Amino acid sequence: MPDRSDTPLAPVLLGDEPGSFPHSVLAERHPAIIEQVRDSFPYGPEQHRALDALHANCTKGVIEPLPADAHDRDRWTAWGADTYTGRSWFDLPWLWSESYFYRQLLEAVGYFAPGPWQGIDPFRPSKLAELDAPETDEELAALDSLTDRPADEQDRALLHGSLWGNRADLGFRLSAGNDETSSDTPPLVADDSAALWSLLPPTGSATLVLIADNAGRELVPDLLLIAHLLTQGRVRRAVLHVKPYPYYVSDATHADVLDALRRLTAAPGAAATYGHTLWSAMRDGRLTVRAHPFSSAPLPFAALPGDLREELSAATLTVVKGDLNYRRLVGDRLWPPTTPFTDVTAHFPGPVAALRTLKSDVITGLDARTEAALDEAEGQKWRTGGTHALIQVRT
């Protein structure tokens, strides 16, 4: 395994620079999310007062501790809450500030407290609206045309569906062929898919861990990929890691998995077949859903707790989905884009693959030519616009 000590640490991303992407998230996106949540349910005066206080605090105030009786206060203390209490949201590691915002948002709406709002996902209306959108029907219908394709085309289509989520019609870009790598500024800026498939041969003995990202129409392709791998014999057992509570607006929880599974089983055609495959796999243990507390930690994966490290070390492959999980995998630092992906993931306890659409500044593993072409064509927008993606693997 490569020695990460040979790679100098890059600066941790903060939110203190006006005009930067992290600053815009803290100063603009978070207040907008508060208003979105406020309008999602008929919360009472107590919740509205708490949301008002959070709005003022996250833009102009400082980090405040969780209530003394919070069930996870000790956990957040271990994650750095005491260290950061009294400091500006903008002066902390961006990953920590973002994560703590969502924890405080749930506190404001009474998600953890006994009462009528306990356990009510404040983001559920938007998640369900996306899952029930007509576009989802169209994407699921496209599965019917995939069933007669050669196995390698099915592999590619479902892998790219998981990679792009709802940006690419479940990834059925079969006609693209190799065009995605024919440009100096390709949509796919790194492609280690051959290495990924080499770790999952069709022998039925592999254990796959998939660390999920978003719910709704982005979780559906992840589930379809798992179903395909189980059906094709590339995976004997799969473990799907989701968030233990609502997080980052659209991150998947166990309830979101069940909503997506019901959406599949109720659909016509091939989609229902995939859905019933997953349903059966959950019943007999070939597919397990886990929600480890660390999944919502404000920390990089280099700080994995022992039990999770042991689980991931036993997996044939861990697939890390999405932008936030990528940031946690490589460290939320402003690495030079040519920093080797293998170096910054040397801490990970087993083979790991990143499937990620680029939506933040963090990037590693590019060749110098690709980086230069992207910078020349798009400035720095290619890092955050969601128009480029990558498949990176460390075996």
Side-chain angles (χ1 to χ4, degrees), residues 9-10 19 23 40 89 98 127 151 156 191 206 223 238 263 277 300 352:
L9 288 176
H23 188 277
S40 295
W89 292 78
E98 276 198 289
K127 290 176 179 178
R156 181 180 182 276
D191 184 3
L223 293 173
R263 185 72 165 88
T277 295
V352 61

Side-chain angles (χ1 to χ4, degrees), residues 207 209 237 239 241 290 292 294 301-318 347-351:
T207 296
V209 173
R237 178 173 177 264
V239 181
H241 279 261
R290 289 202 62 196
H292 195 285
F294 188 78
F301 288 156
L304 284 170
D307 62 331
L308 197 49
R309 178 170 290 276
E310 181 178 359
E311 177 188 332
L312 299 181
S313 69
T316 307
L317 176 66
T318 298
H347 63 83
F348 203 79

Side-chain angles (χ1 to χ4, degrees), residues 26-68:
L26 298 178
E28 301 169 17
R29 183 182 297 178
H30 286 179
I33 289 169
I34 291 173
E35 298 313 306
Q36 173 189 333
V37 166
R38 188 194 303 275
D39 294 338
S40 295
F41 289 101
Y43 290 116
E46 180 182 353
Q47 288 76 35
H48 281 279
R49 284 193 295 270
L51 290 171
D52 289 341
L54 179 60
H55 190 289
N57 176 257
C58 74
T59 53
K60 299 178 181 178
V62 297
I63 297 296
E64 297 179 354
L66 292 173

